[in-house]
């Protein structure tokens, strides 16, 4: 990290245009004093931070692997999950990036704050917003770090302002206090999406408020005592049925939560109350701008709706760009040729246990999962004879292959399976999400799919969680939950369905697994609730794709890079269990 910061002191690389993110070409390195003194110059400092966020699709490996792959409901090929997916975190090179690059964001933000604060020719409102955005990005970087590594160093200013390279690790409570300080200021400094200065694609006041609510909920849930319980659906993935491997349905198990190390000083009721207030201010009072849920779940992901009312903060990308494009579409939905056949990709998806969390008719699986695909035989330049379908249950077997009814009549496949192709399935297939399907060009490996870092649906579910933890099952908590379910055509819940706080808590956590799947939340939900280890180990070893899911205490935190320990004289040991 030290060497990277020294390089950054010499110059400041920036990519974004202040008017249209990801539409300008990159510039060479320039010195800080060459940036200028104007609204556009202030934007340059902010965009330099976002540049680091987006560079080479998080070339440092955070998206989606380090945020998404280590959880109970996601799987894929062994080679893609590799060392990290198997729990060998020190064998994963990108772990170092998870440490280094948030600190580069922090360093760039500190440089930007110092420089923008001294500008004389920037309109006061725009200066306030730019500094607020830099506070927000610092807070987001520290949020990533504290969840992943626990105690981490804090840099409140740049090293060229006299800050030492060799900062000691600060307590978890100190790091969270700094995140809260930054976001408390940022939410009142940043543009609302209703202000004329707001630029679509950049975070706004509601983004900071939402991240602050998520911070409070993370602290509160981590601090709940070990007397609390949660129910989660999972268990072993496969049974032997007369010599044939058969996928199992998820089984609900009751788990005792653990109090997270370093969270014991937090009062759960205080922080849940703070989260609940923020949620109301964002959703009901619209204190931080005009944001609302889309009417249908599939609307969220349509190309024309990117960065619109529900997207509070998203990783931007540029179609076809080797550096600023991303591979989300290829990983989750595959690359298609002009004829609509897959040529590569389609690797990562939801496990059978995840798919079975949904009820029939829920848009999140009816339309939010790929049910049909057809590979192209590149060696012969013709389609394969067979197509594939998911899931392998009676409903979809009949739809895709046809069947004979009770009267002996042959019922053919239904559209879109009635194209003359023979459709088959396999136990190893996954529920591939369509969230990242809607891109400018499906034939490209690097596309303009956005990664939703913060979405309004998350805020609704934080509202349901906080309200329940404060007051038990109540109408407010139910309203937040049902608004998410309503727009996906899922059945509405009633207070009579929840006899206890535990019952509603378990439902909310499960709803998060449904709604926020493949958005980098599941591992961190399991961690903050203190149930990561028993839920992962309930899988019983490998999942249906052969990915090892066994975990130990050391997996609760990522290992600090050895390079940091060897060069930072104030860090003397690694996280428990790591060399």
């Amino acid at each position: 990290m030290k060497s990277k910061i020294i390089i950054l002191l010499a110059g400041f690389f920036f990519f974004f245009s202040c008017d249209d993110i990801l539409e300008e070409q990159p510039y060479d390195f320039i010195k800080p004093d060459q940036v200028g003194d104007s609204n556009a110059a202030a934007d340059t400092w902010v965009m330099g931070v976002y540049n680091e966020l987006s560079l080479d699709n998080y070339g440092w490996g955070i998206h989606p692997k380090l945020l998404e792959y280590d959880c109970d409901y996601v799987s894929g090929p062994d080679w893609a999950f590799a060392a990290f997916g198997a729990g060998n975190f020190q064998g994963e090179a990108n772990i170092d990036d998870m440490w280094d690059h948030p600190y580069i964001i922090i360093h760039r933000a500190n440089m930007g704050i110092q420089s923008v604060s001294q500008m004389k020719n920037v309109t006061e409102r725009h200066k306030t917003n730019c500094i607020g955005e830099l506070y927000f990005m610092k807070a987001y970087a520290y949020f990533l770090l504290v969840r992943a590594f626990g105690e981490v160093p804090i840099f409140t200013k740049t090293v060229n302002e006299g800050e030492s390279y060799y900062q000691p690790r600060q307590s978890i409570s100190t790091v969270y206090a700094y995140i809260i300080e930054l976001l408390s200021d940022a939410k009142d400094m940043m543009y609302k999406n209703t202000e004329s200065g707001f630029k679509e694609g950049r975070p706004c006041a509601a983004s900071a408020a939402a991240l602050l609510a998520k911070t409070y909920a993370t602290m509160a849930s981590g601090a709940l005592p070990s007397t609390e319980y949660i129910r989660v659906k999972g268990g072993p993935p496969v049974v032997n049925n007369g010599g044939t491997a058969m996928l199992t349905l998820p089984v609900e198990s009751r788990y005792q939560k653990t109090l997270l190390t370093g969270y014991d000083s937090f009062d759960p009721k205080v922080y849940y109350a703070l989260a609940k207030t923020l949620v109301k201010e964002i959703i009901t009072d619209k204190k931080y701008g005009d944001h609302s849920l889309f009417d249908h779940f599939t609307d969220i992901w349509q190309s024309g709706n990117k960065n619109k009312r529900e997207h509070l903060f998203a990783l931007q990308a540029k179609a076809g760009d080797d550096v600023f494009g991303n591979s989300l579409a290829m990983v989750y939905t595959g690359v298609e040729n002009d004829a609509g056949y897959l040529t590569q990709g389609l690797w990562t998806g939801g496990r059978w246990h995840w798919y079975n969390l949904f009820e029939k008719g829920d848009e999140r699986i009816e339309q939010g999962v790929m049910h049909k695909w057809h590979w192209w035989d590149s060696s012969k330049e013709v389609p394969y004879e067979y197509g594939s379908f998911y899931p392998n249950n009676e409903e979809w077997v009949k739809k895709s292959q046809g069947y004979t009814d009770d009267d002996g009549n042959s019922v053919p496949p239904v559209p879109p399976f009635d194209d003359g192709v023979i459709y088959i399935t396999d136990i190893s297939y996954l529920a591939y999400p369509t969230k990242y399907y809607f891109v400018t060009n499906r034939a490209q490996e690097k596309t303009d799919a956005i990664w939703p870092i913060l979405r309004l649906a998350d805020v609704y579910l934080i509202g349901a969680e906080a309200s329940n933890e404060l007051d038990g099952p109540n109408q407010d908590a139910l309203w937040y939950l049902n608004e998410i379910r309503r727009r996906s055509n899922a059945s509405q819940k009633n207070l009579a369905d929840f006899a206890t706080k535990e019952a509603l808590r378990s439902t909310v956590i499960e709803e998060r697994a449904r709604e926020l799947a493949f958005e980098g939340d599941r591992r961190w939900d399991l961690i903050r609730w203190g149930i990561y280890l028993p839920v992962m180990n309930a899988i019983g070893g490998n999942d249906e794709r052969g990915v090892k899911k066994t975990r130990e205490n050391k997996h609760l935190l990522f290992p600090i890079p050895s390079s940091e320990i060897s060069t930072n004289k104030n860090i003397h040991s690694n996280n428990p269990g790591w060399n």
Side-chain angles (χ1 to χ4, degrees), residues 180-321:
I180 292 169
E181 176 186 335
L182 291 167
L183 292 174
S184 295
D185 288 338
K187 68 182 174 59
D188 296 324
M189 297 171 71
M190 294 166 69
Y191 286 130
K192 299 175 184 178
N193 69 336
T194 51
E195 290 185 72
S196 60
F198 171 68
K199 300 295 184 182
E200 192 173 276
R202 288 168 67 166
C204 57
S207 311
L211 183 56
L212 183 54
K214 192 163 187 167
T215 298
Y216 288 146
T218 300
M219 297 166 69
S221 55
L224 283 171
S226 299
T227 53
E228 302 292 342
Y229 288 82
I230 308 168
R231 295 182 179 272
V232 176
K233 293 174 183 174
V238 179
V239 295
N240 188 306
N241 183 25
T244 301
M246 185 176 71
L247 292 174
T248 65
L249 291 174
V251 176
E252 186 176 80
S253 298
R254 189 172 187 244
Y255 298 106
Q256 184 175 9
K257 83 171 295 290
T258 57
L259 171 65
L260 292 193
T261 301
Y263 287 65
D264 53 309
S265 65
F266 304 145
D267 185 331
K269 286 193 174 296
V270 168
Y271 288 106
Y272 269 130
L274 290 168
K276 181 180 178 181
T277 297
L278 271 174
V279 169
K280 180 179 181 295
E281 289 177 347
I282 295 168
I283 293 173
T284 307
D285 301 341
K286 297 192 180 296
K287 180 178 178 179
Y288 302 102
D290 188 10
H291 300 274
S292 59
L293 296 174
F294 284 106
D295 294 332
H296 300 282
F297 181 74
T298 50
D299 293 343
I300 304 168
W301 314 107
Q302 300 295 324
S303 297
N305 290 335
K306 291 177 182 178
N307 300 313
K308 300 297 183 183
R309 64 198 201 200
E310 184 166 340
H311 295 285
L312 301 178
F313 181 37
L315 177 66
Q316 307 297 309
K318 186 176 181 181
D321 191 289

Side-chain angles (χ1 to χ4, degrees), residues 466-526:
S467 188
N468 178 60
E469 295 303 327
L470 288 168
D471 303 314
N474 63 85
Q475 289 293 347
D476 282 348
L478 206 62
W479 182 82
Y480 287 124
L481 175 66
N482 278 334
E483 283 298 286
I484 295 298
R485 294 179 60 81
R486 172 196 56 76
R487 62 92 167 267
S488 296
N489 198 37
S491 63
Q492 297 287 277
K493 299 292 186 179
N494 300 300
L495 273 182
D497 299 328
F498 306 107
T500 63
K501 181 185 293 186
E502 178 188 324
L504 184 50
R505 172 192 298 148
S506 303
T507 297
V508 171
I509 293 172
E510 186 174 303
E511 199 65 40
R512 292 182 62 84
R514 284 188 281 257
E515 177 68 24
L516 304 175
F518 316 107
E519 298 180 36
D521 273 293
R522 180 61 178 179
R523 167 188 159 85
W524 312 100
D525 278 349
L526 296 178

Side-chain angles (χ1 to χ4, degrees), residues 131-173:
I131 294 173
E133 286 188 64
L134 294 168
Y135 285 171
F136 171 79
M137 287 305 298
K138 279 181 67 174
Y140 175 62
Y142 280 118
F143 186 67
L144 289 175
L145 287 163
V146 73
R147 291 192 310 173
F149 298 98
E151 297 181 346
V152 295
I154 292 177
F155 292 82
T156 60
K157 57 186 178 180
T158 64
V159 293
N160 56 326
E161 290 180 274
E163 191 89 310
S164 172
Y165 296 115
Y166 308 112
Q167 292 296 321
R169 298 173 73 180
Q170 299 292 336
S171 68
I172 287 173
S173 59

Side-chain angles (χ1 to χ4, degrees), residues 97-108:
D97 296 326
M98 179 73 165
W99 176 277
D100 288 343
H101 287 267
Y103 275 114
I104 294 174
I105 285 176
I106 291 163
H107 176 70
R108 288 189 174 188

Side-chain angles (χ1 to χ4, degrees), residues 305-574:
N305 290 335
K306 291 177 182 178
N307 300 313
K308 300 297 183 183
R309 64 198 201 200
E310 184 166 340
H311 295 285
L312 301 178
F313 181 37
L315 177 66
Q316 307 297 309
K318 186 176 181 181
D321 191 289
D322 288 339
V323 176
F324 291 95
N326 67 46
S327 303
L328 292 170
M330 179 172 69
V331 168
Y332 289 110
T333 62
V335 175
E336 292 180 352
N337 61 17
D338 292 339
Y341 294 99
L342 292 175
T343 58
Q344 61 176 314
L346 195 66
W347 299 322
T348 303
R351 295 180 53 234
W352 177 241
H353 282 182
W354 174 78
Y355 184 88
N356 279 279
L357 297 178
F358 297 87
E359 61 191 32
K360 183 175 173 56
D362 193 319
E363 282 189 3
R364 293 172 294 191
I365 57 160
E366 295 291 337
Q367 301 177 44
V369 165
M370 291 180 65
H371 293 289
K372 167 187 176 292
W373 60 94
H374 195 182
W375 287 99
W376 190 268
D377 187 347
S378 59
S379 65
K380 299 178 181 178
E381 297 302 325
V382 295
Y384 280 120
E385 179 181 356
Y386 295 98
S388 302
F389 73 92
Y390 184 91
N392 185 18
N393 60 18
E394 182 179 3
E395 175 190 0
W396 287 92
V397 168
K398 287 182 176 181
K399 286 181 177 180
S400 60
Q401 297 180 339
Y403 64 100
T404 301
D405 66 18
D406 294 340
D407 297 325
N409 299 314
S410 179
V411 180
V414 301
F417 297 101
D418 57 346
D419 54 5
V421 174
I422 299 172
Y423 283 93
I424 59 176
T425 191
D426 186 89
I427 191 174
S428 65
Y429 290 166
L430 299 169
Y432 302 108
T434 59
K435 289 182 177 183
Y436 305 107
Y437 185 91
F438 305 100
V439 295
T440 299
N441 188 344
R442 293 277 307 148
Q444 293 175 330
E445 293 182 27
K446 293 295 187 75
T447 72
D448 54 356
I450 62 170
W451 174 271
I453 297 174
L454 282 172
R455 194 153 58 81
L456 191 64
D458 196 351
V459 179
Y460 272 78
L461 292 172
I462 290 171
E465 177 182 320
S467 188
N468 178 60
E469 295 303 327
L470 288 168
D471 303 314
N474 63 85
Q475 289 293 347
D476 282 348
L478 206 62
W479 182 82
Y480 287 124
L481 175 66
N482 278 334
E483 283 298 286
I484 295 298
R485 294 179 60 81
R486 172 196 56 76
R487 62 92 167 267
S488 296
N489 198 37
S491 63
Q492 297 287 277
K493 299 292 186 179
N494 300 300
L495 273 182
D497 299 328
F498 306 107
T500 63
K501 181 185 293 186
E502 178 188 324
L504 184 50
R505 172 192 298 148
S506 303
T507 297
V508 171
I509 293 172
E510 186 174 303
E511 199 65 40
R512 292 182 62 84
R514 284 188 281 257
E515 177 68 24
L516 304 175
F518 316 107
E519 298 180 36
D521 273 293
R522 180 61 178 179
R523 167 188 159 85
W524 312 100
D525 278 349
L526 296 178
I527 291 284
R528 71 184 177 93
W529 277 101
I531 55 172
Y532 165 81
L533 293 178
V535 168
M536 293 291 283
N537 290 329
I539 296 171
N542 294 352
D543 65 21
E544 58 267 38
R545 291 298 300 270
V547 176
K548 182 180 179 182
K549 297 292 188 180
T550 304
R551 297 294 185 264
E552 307 169 32
N553 283 333
K554 67 179 183 179
H555 293 109
L556 295 170
L557 294 173
F558 288 171
I560 297 173
S562 58
S563 58
E564 182 70 19
I565 295 174
S566 64
T567 59
N568 188 337
K569 60 186 180 183
N570 286 319
I571 296 181
H572 308 292
S573 61
N574 214 322

